[in-house]
Amino acid sequence: MTPALTQEQVYTALRSFLLAVLPSGTEVIQGQVNRVPMPPGPDWVLMQAMHRQQMATNAHTYHPPTDPVPATGTADIERSTSLDVQLDIYGPLSADNAQVITTLFRDDWGVDNLKSAGIAPLYCTEPAQMPLLAGEQQWIQRWTMTATLHGNIAITIPAEFADTLITTLSEVTHGS
């Protein structure tokens, strides 16, 4: 069973948001990809999923079949979830880019921009400077922050339905 909102869809929506707010030519990549070098451009952003947290009790929505019952329909089990994604912002413009991201992520513009993907920005941490020393002993400017998104993630399962209930009574005796 596949969730209605996948991690790939979250990355795609967040990447689209970042590309829309950052200067032209800034690359946005997904983290934890083996044997892939850092982007060659001076400014880029690395996205890395970190944490998921349930925010409410599961909600169930039932979809009975259109055929005569008894038959199999479906049920959606939906979980309100917060999704934390670490953003590492690299390059000479990293401080300015971090400022742009946090400002627009916390604004109605961010909500409107992410709405079509079925997610919404909840909040983000303040960016912190975390410079990185490269293998060549050169400092790389990096600012890091956590962007927290919200999604109602549903999983559809088969569910049986019936429109008639047949009951019979059975006499119960106590003791001897």
Side-chain angles (χ1 to χ4, degrees):
M1 296 182 195
T2 302
L5 178 64
T6 65
Q7 185 65 48
E8 181 179 343
Q9 290 168 319
V10 171
Y11 275 134
T12 300
L14 184 55
R15 182 175 187 271
S16 294
F17 167 85
L18 294 169
L19 289 173
V21 303
L22 295 172
S24 178
T26 304
E27 291 193 55
V28 179
I29 62 171
Q30 179 180 330
Q32 292 184 343
V33 179
N34 292 321
R35 301 187 196 290
V36 176
M38 290 183 183
D43 292 292
W44 53 282
V45 177
L46 176 77
M47 304 179 299
Q48 182 56 56
M50 294 175 33
H51 185 254
R52 288 180 176 223
Q53 172 100 20
Q54 183 166 340
M55 297 180 66
T57 303
N58 289 354
H60 293 244
T61 305
Y62 297 95
H63 308 283
T66 56
D67 300 336
V69 285
T72 301
T74 61
D76 293 335
I77 301 174
E78 188 174 81
R79 179 179 176 188
S80 175
T81 306
S82 69
L83 309 145
D84 291 342
V85 179
Q86 180 175 318
L87 300 177
D88 291 324
I89 303 117
Y90 291 87
L93 298 177
S94 58
D96 295 337
N97 287 343
Q99 183 67 43
V100 168
I101 293 167
T102 56
T103 300
L104 295 176
F105 192 82
R106 294 174 175 164
D107 190 78
D108 287 343
W109 190 90
V111 174
D112 291 341
N113 193 273
L114 291 164
K115 179 187 326 185
S116 64
I119 57 176
L122 282 178
Y123 52 88
C124 60
T125 61
E126 295 297 333
Q129 187 180 33
M130 304 286 288
L132 179 68
L133 186 59
E136 299 82 15
Q137 302 301 306
Q138 298 294 313
W139 288 103
I140 299 174
Q141 293 182 41
R142 174 179 69 159
W143 286 73
T144 187
M145 59 179 283
T146 301
T148 301
L149 300 148
H150 174 264
N152 289 316
I153 303 174
I155 299 174
T156 302
I157 61 169
E160 293 183 5
F161 291 83
D163 64 355
T164 306
L165 179 62
I166 301 172
T167 61
T168 57
L169 297 176
S170 297
E171 187 173 326
V172 177
T173 58
H174 298 306
S176 51

